[in-house]
């Protein structure tokens, strides 16, 4: 089932995927999802925020158990982050039907929109809007690299941006959400198990740093006369690494925009995005405060673009999943530093849990991301078992 998706948004030069929200690739992926739902006789719905739902049974009378993930990607991402969860959801429904199972409550497959935040900078956009965590006015005003707003691209895609926002009608259909995802790390390799269960999601956020200087000629401007914003930016990157190591957290500057971007000119503006995460929220906040104080001396502007506090998944639910998905021995329960839509729903009060499928190298957000077929199949079986148990 992953094969029909393999060409969509793939960069032939790198093997990586570029599947921005509301792009041509995203629209093709949405068509694939609709086709898979139609082939199974599922009731396809799109909520006001662009999230897709495919229902086996009617959730209007009784809320159902939902599984799924997302189909968008980071820039130059891998094939498994997101799509494995959606494909496995459809495959798990197929397995339940093969077993002759008739769920006692509705079962849904969801595809959340813009989970990665690659285009507009805010991750889990679809689930944040659905639950009301993200204000519609802020979301619609976000711009991509071309200057288009979310409102612009939704309008061009035939959607109604004025309708986005918290959707209580859709939320009322979800009794429990279980997201399957490729593991982003190697804990399951060390455990020697193909499938695990999420314990918690570390607190994490993104911050934008704007370093202003004066654009000038690279050859005729003396070093003493320069106001080069690249220098305080470089000091911030080095300080972030040192501060992260000292606080036992992680910090990454993975996106930089230099303006005007000429090889023979001193920049006038350097914009950089910091991603910081860790098990301890206070330590993450302290790191950002230290960097903000450092860059204040250079006149930098710092803005928080997103923040997600720690998410502890419901203990009885995750223990139930561990028992059901683990077979004779309960599946290992693991924390993660990666954000997910399941975390957003859990924070909003929707009982949620996650299954992880072993990643042999631990590499993710990269074309080298991988999961073995046997482990993916074990994930489908575990997910089907969990759905059958939760719907019993």
């Amino acid at each position: 089932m992953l094969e029909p998706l393999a060409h969509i948004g793939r960069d032939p030069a790198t093997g990586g995927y570029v599947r921005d929200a509301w792009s041509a690739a995203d629209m093709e992926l949405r068509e694939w999802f609709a086709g898979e739902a139609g082939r199974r006789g599922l009731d396809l719905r799109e909520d006001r925020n662009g999230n897709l739902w495919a229902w086996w049974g009617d959730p209007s009378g009784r809320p159902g158990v939902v599984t799924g993930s997302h189909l968008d990607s980071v820039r130059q991402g891998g094939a498994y982050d997101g799509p494995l969860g959606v494909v496995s959801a459809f495959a798990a429904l197929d397995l339940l039907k093969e077993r002759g199972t008739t769920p006692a409550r509705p079962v849904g497959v969801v595809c959340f929109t813009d989970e990665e935040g690659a285009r507009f900078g805010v991750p889990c956009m679809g689930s944040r809007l659905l639950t009301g965590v993200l204000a519609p006015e802020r979301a619609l005003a976000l711009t991509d690299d071309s200057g288009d707003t979310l409102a612009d691209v939704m309008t061009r895609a035939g959607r109604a941006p004025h309708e986005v926002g918290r959707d209580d009608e859709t939320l009322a259909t979800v009794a429990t959400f279980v997201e399957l995802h490729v593991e982003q790390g190697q804990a399951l390799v060390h455990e020697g198990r193909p499938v695990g269960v999420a314990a918690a999601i570390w607190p994490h956020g993104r911050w934008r740093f704007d370093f202003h200087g004066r654009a000038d000629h690279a050859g005729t401007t003396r070093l003493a006369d320069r106001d080069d914003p690249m220098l305080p930016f470089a000091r911030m990157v080095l300080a972030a690494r040192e501060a992260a190591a000292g606080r036992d957290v992680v910090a990454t500057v993975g996106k930089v925009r230099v303006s005007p971007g000429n090889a023979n000119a001193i920049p006038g503006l350097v914009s950089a995005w910091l991603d910081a995460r860790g098990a301890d929220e206070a330590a993450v906040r302290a790191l950002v405060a230290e960097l903000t104080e450092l860059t204040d001396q250079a006149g930098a502007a710092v803005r928080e673009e997103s923040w997600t506090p720690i998410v502890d998944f419901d203990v009885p639910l995750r223990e139930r999943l561990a028992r059901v998905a683990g077979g004779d021995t309960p599946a290992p329960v693991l924390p993660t530093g990666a954000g997910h839509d399941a975390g957003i729903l859990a924070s909003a009060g929707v009982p949620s849990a996650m299954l992880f499928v072993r990643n042999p190298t631990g590499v993710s957000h990269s074309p080298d991301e991988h999961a073995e077929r046997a482990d993916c199949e074990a994930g489908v079986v575990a997910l089907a078992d969990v759905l059958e148990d939760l719907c019993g």
Side-chain angles (χ1 to χ4, degrees):
M1 288 177 63
L2 283 167
E3 288 181 5
L5 305 179
H7 71 283
I8 302 175
R10 187 174 184 270
D11 182 343
T14 65
Y17 290 89
V18 180
R19 295 167 168 170
D20 285 356
W22 303 109
S23 65
D26 185 41
M27 301 311 289
E28 190 173 352
L29 291 164
R30 288 169 175 270
E31 290 178 7
W32 172 86
F33 184 94
E36 294 299 314
R39 271 188 283 279
R40 291 166 175 80
L42 306 179
D43 178 21
L44 179 65
R45 307 177 184 184
E46 181 173 327
D47 69 27
R48 47 200 262 201
N49 298 298
N51 305 308
L52 298 174
W53 305 79
W55 284 102
W56 179 13
D58 182 4
S60 60
R62 184 185 185 190
V65 177
V66 179
T67 185
S69 191
H70 63 96
L71 293 174
D72 65 300
S73 73
V74 298
R75 306 276 170 86
Q76 299 297 331
Y80 293 84
D81 178 354
L84 180 62
V86 177
V87 165
S88 297
F90 283 124
L93 263 62
D94 294 343
L95 184 54
L96 290 177
K97 291 179 179 179
E98 288 176 15
R99 293 174 178 176
T101 300
T102 302
R105 64 191 316 155
V107 180
V109 177
V110 65
C111 174
F112 285 107
T113 189
D114 201 4
E115 191 270 353
E116 297 291 1
R119 184 168 188 175
F120 295 102
V122 176
C124 298
M125 178 91 75
S127 57
R128 288 180 193 269
L129 285 169
L130 170 70
T131 57
V133 174
L134 178 62
E137 55 273 16
R138 185 193 166 204
L140 294 173
L142 292 170
T143 57
D144 63 14
D145 292 341
S146 300
D148 290 327
T149 66
L150 175 61
D152 293 333
V153 300
M154 288 188 71
T155 299
R156 287 201 292 268
R159 273 51 175 194
H162 64 276
E163 293 183 355
V164 305
R166 182 177 171 88
D167 189 343
D168 288 313
E169 182 179 354
T170 296
L171 284 171
T173 65
V174 184
T176 307
F177 176 55
V178 178
E179 181 173 6
L180 180 145
H181 204 279
V182 66
E183 187 190 7
Q184 294 163 300
Q186 285 187 294
L188 288 173
V189 172
H190 301 315
E191 292 278 353
R193 302 290 295 277
V195 178
V197 175
I201 296 175
W202 284 359
H204 56 280
R206 296 181 187 179
W207 292 262
R208 174 173 172 164
F209 289 71
D210 288 318
F211 300 88
H212 295 271
R214 186 183 69 251
D216 212 333
H217 197 289
T220 61
T221 309
R222 298 187 310 161
L223 293 179
D225 295 333
R226 297 182 179 209
D227 182 6
D228 186 349
M230 192 65 78
L231 300 181
F233 158 68
R235 285 191 286 269
M236 185 273 283
V237 174
L238 294 173
R241 177 59 178 262
E242 184 176 350
R247 290 187 168 84
D248 197 25
V249 299
V250 292
T252 307
V253 179
K255 178 180 178 181
V256 183
R257 186 181 299 152
V258 180
S259 178
N262 298 316
N264 58 354
I266 301 162
L269 172 65
V270 177
S271 298
W273 282 261
L274 171 76
D275 181 299
R277 311 172 186 229
D280 179 29
E281 178 174 331
V284 177
R285 289 291 192 185
L287 176 140
V288 176
E290 179 179 335
L291 297 179
T292 300
E293 182 178 357
L294 172 68
T295 56
D296 276 348
Q297 300 169 16
V302 183
R303 181 173 74 245
E304 181 177 294
E305 293 201 336
S306 69
W307 173 255
T308 303
I310 189 169
V311 176
D312 283 309
F313 288 111
D314 180 82
V315 174
L317 179 59
R318 76 192 192 203
E319 290 180 348
R320 182 176 180 178
L321 259 67
R323 289 193 302 270
V324 173
D328 295 335
T329 306
V333 181
L334 318 165
T336 179
H340 299 283
D341 291 306
I344 302 300
L345 266 64
S347 296
V350 178
S352 302
M354 293 192 70
L355 294 175
F356 290 134
V357 171
R358 180 166 50 194
N359 179 335
T361 65
V363 173
S364 187
H365 284 189
S366 161
D368 294 332
E369 180 180 86
H370 182 65
E372 296 292 341
R373 181 185 179 96
D375 289 346
C376 293
E377 291 175 348
V380 170
V381 172
L383 180 59
D385 291 344
V386 164
L387 294 176
E388 187 168 7
D389 180 74
L390 293 174
C391 290

